[in-house]
Amino acid sequence: MKNVDHFDVLILEILQKDNMTPQRDIGDKIGLSAAAVQRRIKKMRETGIIKADVSVVDTEKIKYSVTLLVEIFLDSDKIDLIDQARQVFNATPEVQQCYYVTGESDFMLVIIVPSMKDYEQLTRKIFYSNENIKHFRTLVSMDTIKSNLEIPLHILSQLE
């Protein structure tokens, strides 16, 4: 954790839970002034440690209730075809997460759509139309037990 000290870790832990926490409150919790907290947050944004400030949306409340885990198996491992698949997955809003993986498959996608009909249309658009996709395997999530983007920073700071 280069360029990140104990106070930065404490700030990040708070922001990961609620990035709307006032800097004054953060400072009170960790023993820094609001100005010091503000400078540290600004620096972490500028250096890319903090990549984005986002709102987490409840998918059930907006009727995007179908979550799918999709394993992608490519026909060819030529780098230009792999890069092409990366670009397509990255440009597809329904693809929430995309991992280039080792093992039998090449990519693992997390996709969210309003309905299975929407997923069927998406498969035609990004899978069946791509000649380099040999096949894909879809797992439908029955329930989301945990969905979290928090990194357990306190563990890393203890290892140093």
Side-chain angles (χ1 to χ4, degrees):
M1 294 202 346
K2 276 187 177 176
N3 303 324
V4 177
D5 67 13
H6 175 70
F7 287 115
D8 293 333
V9 168
L10 295 174
I11 292 168
L12 289 170
E13 286 179 334
I14 292 168
L15 291 178
Q16 286 186 112
K17 289 181 182 17
D18 180 2
N19 74 344
M20 298 296 288
T21 304
Q23 294 169 356
R24 177 185 63 253
D25 293 352
I26 295 171
D28 290 346
K29 288 179 185 175
I30 67 170
L32 289 178
S33 69
V37 170
Q38 180 183 25
R39 282 191 301 274
R40 287 170 174 272
I41 291 172
K42 181 179 183 219
K43 181 181 176 192
M44 288 188 282
R45 284 185 177 127
E46 288 171 350
T47 60
I49 292 168
I50 296 176
K51 288 172 47 172
D53 293 293
V54 299
S55 295
V56 179
V57 177
D58 185 334
T59 57
E60 293 289 324
K61 292 185 177 163
I62 61 163
K63 307 296 186 228
Y64 263 71
S65 57
V66 180
T67 301
L68 307 126
L69 308 172
V70 184
E71 244 182 321
I72 306 296
F73 300 82
L74 298 180
D75 193 40
S76 169
D77 59 357
K78 291 183 180 176
I79 196 68
D80 59 324
L81 295 174
I82 292 170
D83 288 344
Q84 180 186 42
R86 284 178 189 238
Q87 291 170 357
V88 168
F89 301 148
N90 192 43
T92 304
E94 295 87 349
V95 176
Q96 297 294 293
Q97 297 174 45
C98 174
Y99 301 95
Y100 181 46
V101 298
T102 62
E104 291 180 37
S105 59
D106 297 289
F107 289 94
M108 178 62 89
L109 309 178
V110 177
I111 294 177
I112 185 165
V113 290
S115 69
M116 288 305 290
K117 182 67 176 166
D118 292 296
Y119 180 58
E120 189 269 334
Q121 291 172 352
L122 185 67
T123 63
R124 290 173 181 263
K125 179 179 159 188
I126 65 172
F127 301 150
Y128 290 120
S129 66
N130 185 334
E131 293 180 9
N132 194 37
I133 294 181
K134 185 183 338 179
H135 68 280
F136 61 95
R137 180 175 23 224
T138 303
L139 301 168
V140 179
S141 172
M142 297 190 315
D143 190 13
T144 300
I145 308 304
K146 181 177 182 180
S147 177
N148 187 356
L149 296 176
E150 289 181 38
I151 298 170
L153 296 170
H154 65 282
I155 293 171
L156 293 176
S157 63
Q158 292 170 357
L159 297 176
E160 292 181 350

